[in-house]
mmCIF file of all heavy atoms in Angstrom:
data_model
loop_
_atom_site.group_PDB
_atom_site.id
_atom_site.type_symbol
_atom_site.label_atom_id
_atom_site.label_comp_id
_atom_site.label_asym_id
_atom_site.label_seq_id
_atom_site.Cartn_x
_atom_site.Cartn_y
_atom_site.Cartn_z
ATOM 1 N N MET A 388 152.752 162.808 233.218
ATOM 2 C CA MET A 388 152.727 164.266 233.313
ATOM 3 C C MET A 388 151.660 164.785 234.267
ATOM 4 O O MET A 388 151.631 165.973 234.573
ATOM 5 C CB MET A 388 152.542 164.879 231.931
ATOM 6 C CG MET A 388 151.283 164.455 231.195
ATOM 7 S SD MET A 388 151.308 162.752 230.549
ATOM 8 C CE MET A 388 152.486 162.881 229.223
ATOM 9 N N GLY A 389 150.782 163.899 234.771
ATOM 10 C CA GLY A 389 149.775 164.290 235.736
ATOM 11 C C GLY A 389 148.421 164.534 235.106
ATOM 12 O O GLY A 389 148.322 164.976 233.960
ATOM 13 N N ALA A 390 147.374 164.214 235.861
ATOM 14 C CA ALA A 390 145.999 164.405 235.374
ATOM 15 C C ALA A 390 145.777 165.858 235.000
ATOM 16 O O ALA A 390 146.149 166.774 235.733
ATOM 17 C CB ALA A 390 145.004 163.967 236.440
ATOM 18 N N GLY A 391 145.174 166.065 233.830
ATOM 19 C CA GLY A 391 144.913 167.410 233.349
ATOM 20 C C GLY A 391 146.047 168.015 232.553
ATOM 21 O O GLY A 391 145.898 169.094 231.972
ATOM 22 N N HIS A 392 147.201 167.332 232.519
ATOM 23 C CA HIS A 392 148.358 167.833 231.778
ATOM 24 C C HIS A 392 148.779 166.871 230.673
ATOM 25 O O HIS A 392 149.881 166.998 230.137
ATOM 26 C CB HIS A 392 149.537 168.053 232.734
ATOM 27 C CG HIS A 392 149.241 169.000 233.854
ATOM 28 N ND1 HIS A 392 149.156 170.364 233.691
ATOM 29 C CD2 HIS A 392 148.970 168.770 235.173
ATOM 30 C CE1 HIS A 392 148.857 170.945 234.845
ATOM 31 N NE2 HIS A 392 148.736 169.998 235.752
ATOM 32 N N GLU A 393 147.882 165.948 230.318
ATOM 33 C CA GLU A 393 148.249 164.934 229.325
ATOM 34 C C GLU A 393 148.488 165.540 227.942
ATOM 35 O O GLU A 393 149.355 165.078 227.199
ATOM 36 C CB GLU A 393 147.134 163.878 229.199
ATOM 37 C CG GLU A 393 146.840 163.130 230.488
ATOM 38 C CD GLU A 393 145.677 163.742 231.245
ATOM 39 O OE1 GLU A 393 145.546 164.990 231.244
ATOM 40 O OE2 GLU A 393 144.878 162.984 231.815
ATOM 41 N N PHE A 394 147.733 166.574 227.606
ATOM 42 C CA PHE A 394 147.713 167.061 226.228
ATOM 43 C C PHE A 394 148.461 168.388 226.118
ATOM 44 O O PHE A 394 147.891 169.430 225.815
ATOM 45 C CB PHE A 394 146.264 167.175 225.754
ATOM 46 C CG PHE A 394 145.500 165.890 225.940
ATOM 47 C CD1 PHE A 394 144.527 165.766 226.921
ATOM 48 C CD2 PHE A 394 145.788 164.787 225.153
ATOM 49 C CE1 PHE A 394 143.841 164.568 227.108
ATOM 50 C CE2 PHE A 394 145.110 163.578 225.332
ATOM 51 C CZ PHE A 394 144.139 163.478 226.313
ATOM 52 N N THR A 395 149.762 168.311 226.379
ATOM 53 C CA THR A 395 150.598 169.517 226.359
ATOM 54 C C THR A 395 151.825 169.276 225.481
ATOM 55 O O THR A 395 151.772 169.433 224.275
ATOM 56 C CB THR A 395 150.990 169.909 227.793
ATOM 57 O OG1 THR A 395 151.536 168.758 228.477
ATOM 58 C CG2 THR A 395 149.779 170.403 228.588
ATOM 59 N N TYR A 396 152.928 168.863 226.089
ATOM 60 C CA TYR A 396 154.188 168.768 225.350
ATOM 61 C C TYR A 396 154.281 167.551 224.442
ATOM 62 O O TYR A 396 155.217 167.442 223.650
ATOM 63 C CB TYR A 396 155.364 168.800 226.333
ATOM 64 C CG TYR A 396 155.521 170.147 226.982
ATOM 65 C CD1 TYR A 396 154.984 170.403 228.239
ATOM 66 C CD2 TYR A 396 156.165 171.189 226.317
ATOM 67 C CE1 TYR A 396 155.101 171.659 228.828
ATOM 68 C CE2 TYR A 396 156.292 172.437 226.891
ATOM 69 C CZ TYR A 396 155.759 172.669 228.147
ATOM 70 O OH TYR A 396 155.868 173.915 228.710
ATOM 71 N N VAL A 397 153.310 166.642 224.530
ATOM 72 C CA VAL A 397 153.322 165.485 223.633
ATOM 73 C C VAL A 397 153.208 165.912 222.169
ATOM 74 O O VAL A 397 153.654 165.186 221.270
ATOM 75 C CB VAL A 397 152.186 164.506 223.989
ATOM 76 C CG1 VAL A 397 152.502 163.789 225.281
ATOM 77 C CG2 VAL A 397 150.835 165.217 224.076
ATOM 78 N N TYR A 398 152.669 167.104 221.894
ATOM 79 C CA TYR A 398 152.504 167.566 220.518
ATOM 80 C C TYR A 398 153.750 168.242 219.961
ATOM 81 O O TYR A 398 153.909 168.334 218.745
ATOM 82 C CB TYR A 398 151.334 168.553 220.425
ATOM 83 C CG TYR A 398 150.022 167.986 220.897
ATOM 84 C CD1 TYR A 398 149.496 168.330 222.132
ATOM 85 C CD2 TYR A 398 149.309 167.095 220.105
ATOM 86 C CE1 TYR A 398 148.298 167.811 222.572
ATOM 87 C CE2 TYR A 398 148.107 166.567 220.539
ATOM 88 C CZ TYR A 398 147.610 166.928 221.782
ATOM 89 O OH TYR A 398 146.423 166.400 222.217
ATOM 90 N N SER A 399 154.609 168.743 220.819
ATOM 91 C CA SER A 399 155.776 169.515 220.377
ATOM 92 C C SER A 399 157.084 168.797 220.705
ATOM 93 O O SER A 399 157.887 168.504 219.814
ATOM 94 C CB SER A 399 155.748 170.907 221.015
ATOM 95 O OG SER A 399 155.602 170.804 222.432
ATOM 96 N N LYS A 400 157.286 168.486 221.962
ATOM 97 C CA LYS A 400 158.485 167.746 222.359
ATOM 98 C C LYS A 400 158.393 166.288 221.910
ATOM 99 O O LYS A 400 159.417 165.658 221.612
ATOM 100 C CB LYS A 400 158.647 167.833 223.881
ATOM 101 C CG LYS A 400 159.938 167.235 224.422
ATOM 102 C CD LYS A 400 160.006 167.418 225.935
ATOM 103 C CE LYS A 400 161.238 166.750 226.525
ATOM 104 N NZ LYS A 400 161.270 166.892 228.010
ATOM 105 N N GLY A 401 157.174 165.755 221.819
ATOM 106 C CA GLY A 401 156.988 164.356 221.451
ATOM 107 C C GLY A 401 157.574 163.990 220.103
ATOM 108 O O GLY A 401 158.348 163.036 219.988
ATOM 109 N N PRO A 402 157.225 164.705 219.017
ATOM 110 C CA PRO A 402 157.813 164.361 217.720
ATOM 111 C C PRO A 402 159.317 164.584 217.672
ATOM 112 O O PRO A 402 160.026 163.872 216.946
ATOM 113 C CB PRO A 402 157.069 165.275 216.735
ATOM 114 C CG PRO A 402 156.451 166.336 217.551
ATOM 115 C CD PRO A 402 156.180 165.729 218.897
ATOM 116 N N MET A 403 159.823 165.520 218.438
ATOM 117 C CA MET A 403 161.281 165.698 218.493
ATOM 118 C C MET A 403 161.949 164.491 219.133
ATOM 119 O O MET A 403 163.007 164.029 218.691
ATOM 120 C CB MET A 403 161.617 166.980 219.241
ATOM 121 C CG MET A 403 161.235 168.236 218.473
ATOM 122 S SD MET A 403 161.663 169.737 219.354
ATOM 123 C CE MET A 403 163.457 169.626 219.372
ATOM 124 N N MET A 404 161.338 163.965 220.195
ATOM 125 C CA MET A 404 161.867 162.752 220.823
ATOM 126 C C MET A 404 161.938 161.618 219.811
ATOM 127 O O MET A 404 162.946 160.896 219.713
ATOM 128 C CB MET A 404 160.992 162.362 222.011
ATOM 129 C CG MET A 404 161.377 161.064 222.708
ATOM 130 S SD MET A 404 160.658 159.548 221.989
ATOM 131 C CE MET A 404 158.934 159.765 222.412
ATOM 132 N N LEU A 405 160.887 161.445 219.032
ATOM 133 C CA LEU A 405 160.873 160.344 218.069
ATOM 134 C C LEU A 405 161.877 160.567 216.945
ATOM 135 O O LEU A 405 162.484 159.606 216.449
ATOM 136 C CB LEU A 405 159.465 160.165 217.504
ATOM 137 C CG LEU A 405 158.475 159.531 218.480
ATOM 138 C CD1 LEU A 405 157.063 159.564 217.913
ATOM 139 C CD2 LEU A 405 158.876 158.098 218.807
ATOM 140 N N HIS A 406 162.087 161.806 216.538
ATOM 141 C CA HIS A 406 163.104 162.047 215.511
ATOM 142 C C HIS A 406 164.498 161.774 216.069
ATOM 143 O O HIS A 406 165.370 161.235 215.356
ATOM 144 C CB HIS A 406 163.009 163.472 214.973
ATOM 145 C CG HIS A 406 163.791 163.663 213.710
ATOM 146 N ND1 HIS A 406 163.456 163.033 212.534
ATOM 147 C CD2 HIS A 406 164.923 164.376 213.452
ATOM 148 C CE1 HIS A 406 164.331 163.356 211.596
ATOM 149 N NE2 HIS A 406 165.233 164.171 212.129
ATOM 150 N N ALA A 407 164.730 162.118 217.323
ATOM 151 C CA ALA A 407 166.015 161.784 217.955
ATOM 152 C C ALA A 407 166.176 160.271 218.063
ATOM 153 O O ALA A 407 167.276 159.736 217.818
ATOM 154 C CB ALA A 407 166.104 162.443 219.330
ATOM 155 N N LEU A 408 165.108 159.560 218.427
ATOM 156 C CA LEU A 408 165.166 158.095 218.512
ATOM 157 C C LEU A 408 165.477 157.487 217.152
ATOM 158 O O LEU A 408 166.273 156.538 217.049
ATOM 159 C CB LEU A 408 163.839 157.560 219.048
ATOM 160 C CG LEU A 408 163.733 156.045 219.196
ATOM 161 C CD1 LEU A 408 164.731 155.518 220.225
ATOM 162 C CD2 LEU A 408 162.314 155.639 219.574
ATOM 163 N N ARG A 409 164.870 158.005 216.117
ATOM 164 C CA ARG A 409 165.136 157.542 214.745
ATOM 165 C C ARG A 409 166.629 157.616 214.423
ATOM 166 O O ARG A 409 167.206 156.688 213.846
ATOM 167 C CB ARG A 409 164.323 158.398 213.776
ATOM 168 C CG ARG A 409 164.583 158.202 212.297
ATOM 169 C CD ARG A 409 163.647 159.137 211.517
ATOM 170 N NE ARG A 409 163.933 159.180 210.096
ATOM 171 C CZ ARG A 409 163.216 159.885 209.218
ATOM 172 N NH1 ARG A 409 162.180 160.614 209.650
ATOM 173 N NH2 ARG A 409 163.531 159.891 207.935
ATOM 174 N N ASN A 410 167.263 158.712 214.810
ATOM 175 C CA ASN A 410 168.691 158.878 214.543
ATOM 176 C C ASN A 410 169.550 158.088 215.525
ATOM 177 O O ASN A 410 170.667 157.685 215.189
ATOM 178 C CB ASN A 410 169.053 160.365 214.590
ATOM 179 C CG ASN A 410 168.646 161.100 213.334
ATOM 180 O OD1 ASN A 410 169.423 161.215 212.395
ATOM 181 N ND2 ASN A 410 167.401 161.584 213.309
ATOM 182 N N TYR A 411 169.038 157.846 216.706
ATOM 183 C CA TYR A 411 169.812 157.128 217.737
ATOM 184 C C TYR A 411 169.912 155.642 217.427
ATOM 185 O O TYR A 411 170.977 155.029 217.606
ATOM 186 C CB TYR A 411 169.152 157.356 219.096
ATOM 187 C CG TYR A 411 169.994 156.908 220.272
ATOM 188 C CD1 TYR A 411 171.127 157.626 220.655
ATOM 189 C CD2 TYR A 411 169.647 155.789 221.024
ATOM 190 C CE1 TYR A 411 171.897 157.240 221.742
ATOM 191 C CE2 TYR A 411 170.411 155.394 222.114
ATOM 192 C CZ TYR A 411 171.530 156.114 222.469
ATOM 193 O OH TYR A 411 172.288 155.717 223.548
ATOM 194 N N ILE A 412 168.807 155.028 216.941
ATOM 195 C CA ILE A 412 168.833 153.576 216.691
ATOM 196 C C ILE A 412 169.025 153.247 215.214
ATOM 197 O O ILE A 412 169.249 152.085 214.858
ATOM 198 C CB ILE A 412 167.558 152.884 217.214
ATOM 199 C CG1 ILE A 412 166.316 153.327 216.427
ATOM 200 C CG2 ILE A 412 167.400 153.116 218.712
ATOM 201 C CD1 ILE A 412 165.042 152.570 216.815
ATOM 202 N N GLY A 413 168.950 154.236 214.333
ATOM 203 C CA GLY A 413 169.134 154.016 212.917
ATOM 204 C C GLY A 413 167.815 153.868 212.184
ATOM 205 O O GLY A 413 166.801 153.421 212.738
ATOM 206 N N GLN A 414 167.836 154.238 210.899
ATOM 207 C CA GLN A 414 166.624 154.278 210.096
ATOM 208 C C GLN A 414 165.932 152.927 209.997
ATOM 209 O O GLN A 414 164.714 152.828 210.133
ATOM 210 C CB GLN A 414 166.943 154.795 208.693
ATOM 211 C CG GLN A 414 165.723 155.025 207.821
ATOM 212 C CD GLN A 414 164.920 156.234 208.258
ATOM 213 O OE1 GLN A 414 165.449 157.335 208.405
ATOM 214 N NE2 GLN A 414 163.629 156.047 208.484
#
Side-chain angles (χ1 to χ4, degrees):
M388 58 287 289
H392 302 285
E393 300 96 323
F394 306 108
T395 51
Y396 291 97
V397 288
Y398 302 104
S399 53
K400 186 178 176 182
M403 290 181 65
M404 176 274 291
L405 286 172
H406 194 66
L408 180 64
R409 173 179 172 177
N410 282 268
Y411 192 72
I412 66 174
Q414 187 72 53

